[in-house]
Amino acid sequence: MSGLLELSGLTVAFGRRGARPVLDGVELSVGEGEIIGVIGETGSGKTTLARTAVGLVPPRSGRVVFDGRAISGLRGRALRAFRRSGQLSYAFQDPLRALDPELTVRRAVAEPLAVAGDLGDAEIAARVEEALETVGLDAARLGDRLPGAISGGQRQRVLLARAIVTRPRLLIADEPVSALDASNRNRVLRLLDRLRTERGMAVVVISHDLSSLAGIADRVAVLYRGRVVEQGPVREVFDRPSHPYTALLIASAPSVRAEGGPGAAALRRSAEPPAWTAREGCVFGHRCPFVTDACRTAPVPAPVGRGRTAACHRVPEWRELIAAPVTAQGPPGTGLLEAAP
Amino acid sequence: MPHSPSSDPAAPADPSAALSVQGLGVTVSSGRLTAVRDVSFTVGRGEAVGLVGESGSGKTLICRSVLGLLPAGCAVSEGEITLAGEALTGLSRREWDRVRGTRVGAVFQDPASYLNPSLAVGRQLTEVLRVKLGLDRARADARAVELFAAVGLHDPAEVARRHPYELSGGMLQRVLIAVAVACAPDLLVADEATTALDVVVQAEVLELLARMRAEHDLALLLVSHDLAVIAEVCDRVLVAYAGELVEDGPAERVLNDPLHPYTEALLRVATVGDWERRELEVIPGAPPEVGARLPGCRFADRCAFAAPECLSGPVPLRQTADGRRVRCVRGGELDLSRAGARSTREVAV
């Protein structure tokens, strides 16, 4: 059962001792050649999850095991050697800030190999050409340009070329498509899918955008305030979400087609939440329209079907509590916006 | 077929419209390059119009022209912009200050950069109310709280005392919407206003814009790279490509039955409610460089239907029998439903 990357009971906290953890008991397993989507809103801990998984952030508790080896315990030289091996690589979120503005595309992509130091210049150059070609960039035309002189979509692909130049077995891509328009987004997603198919590379795609995961992910994990609230095969989760937060995410996603299912308004909390939700219980309690006293005990992920888990006390009955599909409409007119006399 | 770039018989200036743009041209690089050409459209009173396009399509230059906020080096070189009957082209800076914020409001992608970080947000709204509407301090304070409540901020009196850094992106965008509508403008321009927001918050802000518009007969010009966002709120869709409008029509018609191959391509790559779709389509090639001089249709080299006549001369925006507009030599005769099968799908990447 053990996958290529296993995160178990992963808890990360910054600052004061009593501070709410940024990640709280996260369980995630990534198999060889699998594409896992991690979705969540700003501040849900997506980026911290990625940084912890690659060894940039030490967890407070829990383990990160890559290919049978616990990397969460590595320190100093051992950690550096693991990171330089390039087996597990990380493509940072913001290509403009992650790329040195004074390094040309070629040199930026060569850097991970140069740092590792086990290849000669000719081999490095060949690998750089190969990586640029893989991501569909014309090395002859763009190789000597600086990051400021190429488009956003090209920069994103440079970042990916840099992440795959070491031929990693697992790539963690942090919001690889959020800055791109739809066509370039699909281009990058296709590239990730192709790397998986051709090289058997596993990929963790971090995104706040469901639609970008629907295209390629096998499984999806939904993060909310540091907890995995739902996890399962992407199709099943998107077709019939088990957690009210997942349902809200899906209902909120804009689409060029009208969809069935409950409207987002029916999944938002309109009344004041109980006071305890600010301090304890389910992490989604303060926004959940279905919260009850039972939710005062924080739910843990529990199986809700084959290969699926959800952390919610009200599975599956919350679904029956939704009124007939509500169209998204606010309260009636307030008349407040006529210019004041 | 005669082409006179700045006269568009299909869209005559309509004095009753909230916004009328006629034959707009915008130059960049201090006049050396023409980035927007021959753009004509109207936004009726209370109408929600979406302007969609990729980066570089000129959509932001168009909406900045309407707001008199073109960046340095960019200028309106041609055409007329009228806001509820008043000509905006050629206004002095002082006159723009009178129009902006009172008759036309605006919301942008990054709300934090439009607010003063060292002032409470309530104060930034009362300032507008006092300067533009002449309210006294007490009435402006009361009105600010009302407006914050109207844009769906919980505990508005408390929010008014907060500084921008204490509020989330969604709350800041609501604050800016309150500022933008404070003086009951005729038109609200939202340029990628929800792009930086989480999907749940984006849906809430889009609903807020739709509600503001419905309740207050506010015309809305919603600019986005995301067709799905526009589909959620707009009555009508304008599609921009490489500095020109290529399609204009009722949202429902454009989304279900596009006339321009570029619109069809945008729809193919857009987000649809079908989560099972694994086919990730791309539009081959890249848009032309800003200001590129091309003999004919600017989309021709990426178009699956391009024919020799597409390159013979500038393509005018034609009106169809049912009042839609399309800039395509072959518009109407094409069966775009087969575009997916015909497009030259890229093999590599």
Side-chain angles (χ1 to χ4, degrees):
Chain A
M1 98 117 236
S2 78
L4 183 60
L5 178 73
E6 295 282 349
L7 309 181
S8 48
L10 201 63
T11 298
V12 176
F14 300 122
R16 293 181 291 114
R17 261 252 166 264
R20 193 172 61 84
V22 179
L23 288 180
D24 195 352
V26 168
E27 306 277 333
L28 189 70
S29 161
V30 186
E32 302 262 4
E34 200 178 18
I35 300 187
I36 304 287
V38 174
I39 187 151
E41 61 188 26
T42 316
S44 60
K46 306 186 294 286
T47 296
T48 303
L49 176 67
R51 294 173 66 91
T52 312
V54 296
L56 288 170
V57 174
R60 174 170 287 179
S61 59
R63 272 156 57 93
V64 179
V65 176
F66 181 75
D67 197 19
R69 184 170 171 214
I71 59 164
S72 39
L74 297 181
R75 295 284 179 274
R77 187 170 299 175
L79 178 61
R80 265 200 307 280
F82 171 73
R83 298 246 321 270
R84 285 177 179 174
S85 75
Q87 287 196 52
L88 168 53
S89 71
Y90 177 42
F92 288 87
Q93 183 165 3
D94 180 345
L96 197 52
R97 279 195 284 173
L99 290 170
D100 186 328
E102 296 184 351
L103 286 189
T104 61
V105 166
R106 253 197 205 96
R107 284 191 56 202
V109 175
E111 221 183 8
L113 293 176
V115 168
D118 15 274
L119 292 179
D121 288 350
E123 283 167 292
I124 290 180
R127 290 275 286 272
V128 169
E129 298 296 307
E130 179 199 272
L132 288 172
E133 196 196 310
T134 306
V135 301
L137 289 176
D138 181 354
R141 202 163 61 86
L142 299 171
D144 297 318
R145 297 217 199 158
L146 294 174
I150 58 178
S151 75
Q154 288 168 339
R155 276 199 289 266
Q156 198 77 55
R157 283 185 278 163
V158 170
L159 216 56
L160 284 173
R162 184 183 150 103
I164 62 166
V165 75
T166 57
R167 296 184 181 157
R169 297 173 63 196
L170 172 67
L171 167 68
I172 300 183
D174 195 353
E175 297 275 10
V177 294
S178 61
L180 305 178
D181 53 40
S183 178
N184 275 320
R185 174 191 75 194
N186 290 357
R187 201 183 295 258
V188 168
L189 294 174
R190 272 162 69 154
L191 163 65
L192 293 175
D193 202 21
R194 192 158 60 85
L195 287 168
R196 171 261 286 279
T197 319
E198 289 176 3
R199 302 189 180 183
M201 188 179 84
V203 187
V204 175
V205 188
I206 291 177
S207 181
H208 68 279
D209 171 25
L210 291 152
S211 56
S212 61
L213 299 179
I216 61 163
D218 303 309
R219 283 192 300 127
V220 63
V222 182
L223 268 185
Y224 188 78
R225 294 221 281 173
R227 288 191 184 237
V228 175
V229 295
E230 177 157 7
Q231 193 172 165
V234 72
R235 239 178 228 204
E236 293 172 34
V237 171
F238 286 171
D239 277 350
R240 197 175 166 81
S242 289
H243 197 282
Y245 175 63
T246 318
L248 175 62
L249 271 181
I250 290 167
S252 298
S255 164
V256 291
R257 304 258 181 281
E259 288 146 275
L267 295 158
R268 287 188 203 125
R269 185 170 183 87
S270 46
E272 272 302 297
W276 55 261
T277 54
R279 303 181 306 273
E280 56 187 343
C282 174
V283 282
F284 189 56
H286 67 128
R287 283 172 73 184
C288 183
F290 314 111
V291 76
T292 63
D293 283 343
C295 307
R296 206 159 171 168
T297 317
V300 291
V304 288
R306 203 185 160 81
R308 290 184 69 175
T309 62
C312 175
H313 292 307
R314 308 219 63 195
V315 178
E317 78 257 19
W318 64 262
R319 201 172 272 283
E320 285 139 39
L321 300 172
I322 304 175
V326 179
T327 45
Q329 288 226 324
T334 52
L336 275 170
L337 291 172
E338 277 74 54
Chain B
M1 193 182 288
H3 314 303
S4 62
S6 60
S7 72
D8 183 356
D14 175 4
S16 71
L19 174 72
S20 164
V21 174
Q22 296 302 320
L24 177 71
V26 180
T27 56
V28 298
S29 303
S30 309
R32 282 194 297 275
L33 299 171
T34 302
V36 169
R37 69 192 78 219
D38 188 23
V39 166
S40 301
F41 66 92
T42 58
V43 182
R45 288 191 186 275
E47 191 184 23
V49 173
L51 174 58
V52 69
E54 293 171 285
S55 43
S57 60
K59 58 188 191 304
T60 291
L61 287 175
I62 294 169
C63 94
R64 298 247 162 186
S65 306
V66 169
L67 296 167
L69 290 174
L70 284 173
C74 304
V76 171
S77 55
E78 263 191 286
E80 294 289 325
I81 301 172
T82 355
L83 184 70
E86 181 182 354
L88 296 185
T89 21
L91 287 192
S92 68
R93 223 173 123 176
R94 188 174 284 269
E95 288 168 322
W96 264 118
D97 285 343
R98 176 178 54 78
V99 169
R100 219 185 289 124
T102 44
R103 308 206 31 219
V104 52
V107 209
F108 301 99
Q109 177 166 357
D110 175 15
S113 65
Y114 293 89
L115 291 165
N116 182 335
S118 57
L119 282 184
V121 294
R123 170 83 189 280
Q124 307 191 45
L125 177 52
T126 54
E127 211 161 72
V128 172
L129 294 166
R130 296 183 66 189
V131 172
K132 302 269 188 190
L133 297 180
L135 300 190
D136 62 34
R137 183 182 300 259
R139 293 188 60 183
D141 285 350
R143 177 80 187 138
V145 172
E146 286 174 0
L147 281 163
F148 281 161
V151 295
L153 286 165
H154 295 290
D155 201 354
E158 175 55 32
V159 170
R161 284 191 285 274
R162 302 279 189 87
H163 284 70
Y165 71 88
E166 295 175 285
L167 302 178
S168 70
M171 292 168 89
L172 289 176
Q173 203 57 288
R174 287 176 195 271
V175 166
L176 273 197
I177 291 172
V179 173
V181 300
C183 305
D186 298 303
L187 173 71
L188 178 64
V189 177
D191 183 8
E192 302 280 7
T194 62
T195 304
L197 303 176
D198 287 312
V199 63
V200 171
V201 182
Q202 164 168 280
E204 290 172 9
V205 170
L206 290 175
E207 281 170 34
L208 171 63
L209 289 174
R211 179 160 65 82
M212 291 285 139
R213 173 229 163 180
E215 285 173 15
H216 308 285
D217 208 23
L218 183 68
L220 186 63
L221 178 61
L222 183 72
V223 181
S224 179
H225 69 284
D226 188 350
L227 206 46
V229 163
I230 282 172
E232 295 283 319
V233 227
C234 295
D235 311 317
R236 202 146 61 79
V237 181
L238 305 169
V239 183
Y241 183 76
E244 297 176 332
L245 292 186
V246 296
E247 180 155 5
D248 169 14
E252 204 254 329
R253 302 287 315 279
V254 173
L255 297 173
N256 289 303
D257 175 26
L259 292 177
H260 197 285
Y262 176 62
T263 315
E264 193 281 331
L266 269 187
L267 275 164
R268 248 183 312 126
V269 301
T271 310
V272 294
D274 177 7
W275 298 112
E276 297 190 8
R277 187 180 70 164
R278 285 190 67 105
E279 194 70 22
L280 293 162
E281 304 251 13
V282 303
I283 308 176
E289 300 275 323
V290 169
R293 287 171 209 274
L294 300 171
C297 170
R298 299 176 76 74
F299 186 61
D301 67 333
R302 302 175 78 185
C303 181
F305 300 95
E309 68 258 37
C310 300
L311 300 172
S312 60
V315 183
L317 195 59
R318 264 188 324 109
Q319 186 149 24
T320 64
D322 54 355
R324 297 169 62 180
R325 294 189 299 160
V326 59
R327 193 185 294 274
C328 177
V329 175
R330 311 185 65 194
E333 65 172 85
L334 300 174
D335 179 10
L336 295 178
S337 60
R338 289 174 53 239
R342 284 196 53 168
S343 79
T344 45
R345 288 197 197 153
E346 282 169 302
V347 182
V349 184

